[in-house]
Amino acid sequence: MLQFHFFQFLDWDLLKFFFYFLSFIGVFLTIRLRFPQLRFLFLAIKIFSGNMDYKGSRGRLVHSQAFFSGTASSLLPGAVIGSALALMIGGPGVLFWIWISSFFIMPLRFVSSTLAIRFRTKTVSGRYLSGPMYFIESALKARWLAVGFAAIGLLTVLVMGGVVPMLYVTHIANRVFEINGMTVPFLLSVILVFIVLGGIRRVGKISAYLAPIGIFLFFMGYFFLFKGSLMNFKDFIWLSFKEAFQPTAAITGGGFALARIYSMASGIFFVSTETGIGKSAGLSGVVRTDYPAKQGLVSMLATFFEGFIISTLVVYVLSSYGAFKMEEQLVFLNALFQGNTNPVNIAFFGSFLLFGVVSITGWFYTGEQKALYVFGEKFANFFRILFLFTILAVAYLYVKNGEQILFEAFGLGYSLSIITAVPVLISLVLLEKIARTELKRFLTESGARYEVLKDFYLLILSIVPKNLLSRLFGLLASSRLPRFILIPILKAFARAYKINVDEAELEIQEYNSLNEFFTRALKAEARIIDSADDEMVSPVDAKITGYGDINQRIIIQAKGVDYNLKELLGGSKYLEDFTNGKYITFYLSPQDYHRIHSPAYGKILGYYYEPGKLFPVNELAVFGIRGLFPKNERLITYLQTEYGKVAVIKVGASNVGRIRVTYDNKIVTNTLIRTTRTVEYKEVSIMIDKGAELGRFEMGSTVILLMEKDTFQFSSLVVNEKITYGTTIGKFKKKKCKLPK
């Protein structure tokens, strides 16, 4: 009976029209923009995280603040109650259609948010004004339509954004915790006044704090309250798929009736989440960004979150408890909270209260934007009073007259939302080319297209069996192919990487495999070793990718790229010697000579071998995979010079078949069975001259030198410039001991 009373206030024909219209435009934009929800999902997450923020951008909120302000404000009564209502109408099968629809509707928020920033304006006082009315007026030259939209939007804000969430929270508090009267409305009003008087920055900051807390409490409540009572999730997913096409409930009329039911159910979900009415555009318009399309991509995540995550959780729990009707759902809520005040229950209900606060504040701000557009800045204070008066007055009517007021508010709010959405949706179709141009500009000018490829590359790296592939590549490179096949391969390899074959000890046709050519020796006169005793030389031909001080135990390779000395050395006994010392990193490309030489005269103390991964060590991987060098296979040679200790760290990489050293033929890396090894040469004294061969890479990789603290000073070196082995990189300070010559 209660369910019937609620649904009689809804215009079902309007809901069906809205869903079909929304879906059509979603499919149209998806095709025109070439599926941005697939192509740029990871990029959107990266922008949201703040990794691509530009500090010189104009605006008031960062991407995450706008996201939380918009998303959290549409969770209650949006995605949560929208999912519950959709379940009442269509049963568990509606979830499948919400997923499908959400996928195609994601580009709507991209276009609206991109246009909002593209056409936002700034007042003399420094306030940003944005929303659909601005791009309707500026781009479509239709001020009459913009004013009409803003005027109807004001009514929508008052009802759907103020009255409905206020009544919903009050209703739950009344039915569940028996908090009667105006206590909750007054409490929410006081919180609202505090937040909105601080302007959009306070709205954004408060939302950025409250929304994650609310979402955390919401998920925690689901986990702790329902984990023992939920149906098997796989069974639930199968039920949703089955019910989507063959519902258990008898629906007469065949496929058309099925489409009608699911269109109404999905329609009520998307109206509840305020899809298409331009609220997210109003909040996105004040984001601090250098490209409008960046916030557009982040806005797509809101639809993903609401349509795929929240809706699934709500339908999953309610279906597990068989709560398919309104009476059953209210009984479920009562049973969940009534007389139960343990911390988990209170925390779960607290998430509803937080969502209510964020919802009202988010709606309030978008309403204020519309009021300013229609009436000017002088109307701002009047709108604030009107908003507070409206929600308190209707809350009073609810307290006096009961839930009939709640149902009427829902029905009116849904109808106003659909009417408000029509001009916005039409304008999105007409202006999608502008959003498409902004997306192209962002991808081209900012290098974001490179970010997409990089993320895909790093994803592939995390999946493929790198060590196995490297061993196979090593076997292939060492294979002795017929000369008529091998020689053209070697020549092509040399041309491709611009290798100076004139420096090689042998003629190219004298090598028996690709690996022999790759690890070629040089002619004696090809390199000159700087001979001063107190000078350290480069151990390799390579590019210097970083050098400097070791800060405590942190090596800062570049901005945003650092790694821990302890992780790199594997807890070596020499850790304290190199703490606060110096480091220099060399990257060897396939073009380079791949033998490693001693940077100074000294005694080899021992080595440490760590069988790690074999990620590539190119710039893309180093900057994309945090702490890459300590993750990769490493062979560390410890050298005692007359001036202090030096660690020569040879870092393995993809396609490095082996790392070999000259001082111990027992060392074999990248084998099938690998274990960590620490070896000290106590019984034997192994001396090595400066410039003498220390080892070799079978394919390219990285060498890191560590110098003991207070023993070394770098020369003037240039990062990212090539250096040849034997070239001075700096000077030792003073002798600490004397070694036999």
Side-chain angles (χ1 to χ4, degrees), residues 133 145-155 367 369-371 373-374 420:
M133 51 277 188
L145 182 60
V147 172
F149 159 78
I152 298 174
L154 272 175
L155 294 176
Q369 293 271 47
K370 292 176 174 64
Y373 178 79
V374 177
T420 305

Side-chain angles (χ1 to χ4, degrees), residues 340-628:
N340 196 343
T341 57
N342 69 64
V344 176
N345 292 76
I346 294 175
F348 189 50
F349 181 69
S351 70
F352 283 72
L353 291 177
L354 291 177
F355 290 154
V357 171
V358 177
S359 177
I360 295 173
T361 55
W363 271 102
F364 171 84
Y365 180 75
T366 57
E368 191 177 45
Q369 293 271 47
K370 292 176 174 64
L372 292 175
Y373 178 79
V374 177
F375 301 106
E377 284 196 83
K378 294 181 180 179
F379 188 73
N381 288 331
F382 178 76
F383 172 77
R384 292 169 182 171
I385 296 171
L386 176 64
F387 188 87
L388 289 171
F389 173 79
T390 301
I391 60 177
L392 287 173
V394 178
Y396 178 77
L397 291 175
Y398 165 78
V399 171
K400 291 297 182 182
N401 300 304
E403 54 201 16
Q404 179 84 0
I405 300 297
L406 173 63
F407 298 156
E408 290 179 357
F410 262 105
L412 178 60
Y414 278 41
S415 297
L416 285 172
S417 295
I418 294 172
I419 295 170
T420 305
V422 172
V424 178
L425 295 175
I426 293 173
S427 66
L428 297 186
V429 172
L430 297 176
L431 300 176
E432 63 83 21
K433 185 177 180 180
I434 297 175
R436 187 156 33 99
T437 302
E438 287 292 339
L439 177 61
K440 184 178 180 180
R441 185 171 73 89
F442 165 56
L443 295 174
T444 304
E445 294 180 5
S446 69
R449 197 183 302 275
Y450 168 80
E451 291 290 328
V452 176
L453 294 174
K454 184 180 83 172
D455 290 341
F456 179 73
Y457 171 69
L458 295 176
L459 177 64
I460 295 299
L461 282 183
S462 65
I463 296 173
V464 298
K466 294 167 285 295
N467 295 58
L468 176 61
L469 290 178
S470 294
R471 283 194 292 273
L472 293 176
F473 187 85
L475 289 173
L476 180 63
S478 300
S479 300
R480 299 200 169 205
L481 301 173
R483 308 297 294 178
F484 72 92
I485 296 176
L486 177 63
I487 300 306
I489 290 176
L490 296 182
K491 289 182 177 180
F493 185 85
R495 282 196 303 271
Y497 289 104
K498 299 179 181 178
I499 296 172
N500 185 357
V501 294
D502 294 333
E503 292 182 334
E505 185 179 45
L506 304 176
E507 296 295 326
I508 197 167
Q509 58 269 20
E510 296 182 64
Y511 293 99
N512 296 311
S513 68
L514 177 61
N515 191 49
E516 276 192 18
F517 175 66
F518 196 83
T519 58
R520 63 196 175 276
L522 299 182
K523 294 175 180 176
E525 66 275 12
R527 299 287 182 271
I528 298 175
I529 310 299
D530 292 341
S531 58
D533 288 344
D534 62 347
E535 290 182 348
M536 181 182 287
V537 299
S538 170
V540 287
D541 285 9
K543 179 173 71 173
I544 299 173
T545 57
Y547 72 95
D549 298 326
I550 300 172
N551 298 320
Q552 295 297 322
R553 293 182 179 177
I554 301 299
I555 297 176
I556 301 175
Q557 175 72 18
K559 183 180 179 181
V561 180
D562 56 61
Y563 41 96
N564 188 282
L565 183 64
K566 184 176 181 180
E567 293 176 355
L568 187 67
L569 297 181
S572 167
K573 63 182 286 187
Y574 304 116
L575 178 63
E576 287 301 323
D577 294 315
F578 296 108
T579 300
N580 294 319
K582 306 283 186 182
Y583 81 95
I584 183 168
T585 306
F586 302 93
Y587 169 65
L588 289 75
S589 71
Q591 178 189 48
D592 295 316
Y593 165 67
H594 270 67
R595 298 198 180 192
I596 307 161
H597 297 257
S598 179
Y601 168 71
K603 176 183 178 181
I604 296 176
L605 300 174
Y607 70 86
Y608 169 76
Y609 171 65
E610 176 63 40
K613 303 290 185 182
L614 286 174
F615 286 104
V617 291
N618 54 43
E619 184 176 344
L620 193 62
V622 169
F623 279 82
I625 301 171
R626 186 167 182 81
L628 182 143

Side-chain angles (χ1 to χ4, degrees), residues 620-694:
L620 193 62
V622 169
F623 279 82
I625 301 171
R626 186 167 182 81
L628 182 143
F629 293 144
K631 286 183 171 71
N632 267 15
E633 181 180 60
R634 303 181 303 288
L635 179 60
I636 305 173
T637 301
Y638 291 104
L639 186 67
Q640 176 67 61
T641 74
E642 293 181 319
Y643 301 88
K645 294 182 180 67
V646 175
V648 184
I649 305 173
K650 298 161 283 294
V651 183
S654 294
N655 299 332
V656 175
R658 294 281 189 274
I659 302 172
R660 299 187 185 274
V661 292
T662 57
Y663 56 84
D664 193 332
N665 57 16
K666 295 179 182 178
I667 301 175
V668 181
T669 68
N670 195 18
T671 56
L672 190 60
I673 300 175
R674 303 175 302 151
T675 57
T676 299
R677 293 197 304 275
T678 299
V679 173
E680 294 184 52
Y681 298 119
K682 295 181 178 179
E683 305 298 327
V684 61
S685 181
I686 304 175
M687 308 302 297
I688 188 166
D689 289 327
K690 181 197 295 187
E693 186 178 331
L694 186 65

